[in-house]
């Protein structure tokens, strides 16, 4: 019986660790957004006007129907997107900034 309990605990811990690896860090994502994205986009909650008029706010992006972390990752890693600079982000940075953007959803 004790073996079953220990196995169950380790199983839960393994699933939790795997989920944590797939989840972005909101604070790191916000920091990255302020450092890298804020020169063109409105990145803060409640900020509606982007410095670059053609750049949507992060709240607009987050509220786009069907927007997901996968969709954001695809856009941010696309080899060529004419309206944005070619960003090179680590997989963790992608998760972080995606988590931050999606946290701004209405």
């Amino acid at each position: 019986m004790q073996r079953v309990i220990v196995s169950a605990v380790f199983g839960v811990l393994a699933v939790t660790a795997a989920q944590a690896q797939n989840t972005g860090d909101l604070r790191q994502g916000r920091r990255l957004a302020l450092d890298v994205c804020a020169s063109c986009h409105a990145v803060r909650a409640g900020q509606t006007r982007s410095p670059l008029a053609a750049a949507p706010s992060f709240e607009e992006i987050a509220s786009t129907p069907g927007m997901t972390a996968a969709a954001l990752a695809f856009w941010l890693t696309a080899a060529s997107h004419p309206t944005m600079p070619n960003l090179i982000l680590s997989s963790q940075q992608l998760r972080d900034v995606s988590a931050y953007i999606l946290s701004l959803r209405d």
Side-chain angles (χ1 to χ4, degrees):
M1 181 67 158
Q2 192 174 16
R3 245 187 200 165
V4 172
I5 293 172
V6 170
S7 294
V9 169
F10 281 121
V12 169
L13 290 175
V15 169
T16 303
Q19 289 173 338
Q21 289 177 348
N22 291 327
T23 306
D25 182 317
L26 292 176
R27 288 186 0 194
Q28 291 298 325
R30 183 176 187 274
R31 181 174 296 133
L32 181 65
L34 290 169
D35 291 346
V36 176
C37 310
S39 60
C40 296
H41 293 275
V43 300
R44 291 185 169 98
Q47 186 181 12
T48 57
R49 290 185 133 176
S50 293
L52 184 62
S57 72
F58 275 20
E59 284 185 344
E60 285 179 77
I61 295 168
S63 298
T64 300
M67 185 56 67
T68 63
L72 285 168
F74 178 79
W75 176 255
L76 292 170
T77 59
S80 174
H81 32 66
T83 59
M84 283 181 48
N86 189 18
L87 299 174
I88 299 174
L89 301 173
S90 70
S91 57
Q92 184 62 51
Q93 288 173 318
L94 279 170
R95 286 191 297 272
D96 295 346
V97 77
S98 294
Y100 176 68
I101 291 171
L102 293 174
S103 77
L104 299 173
R105 185 175 285 157
D106 292 357

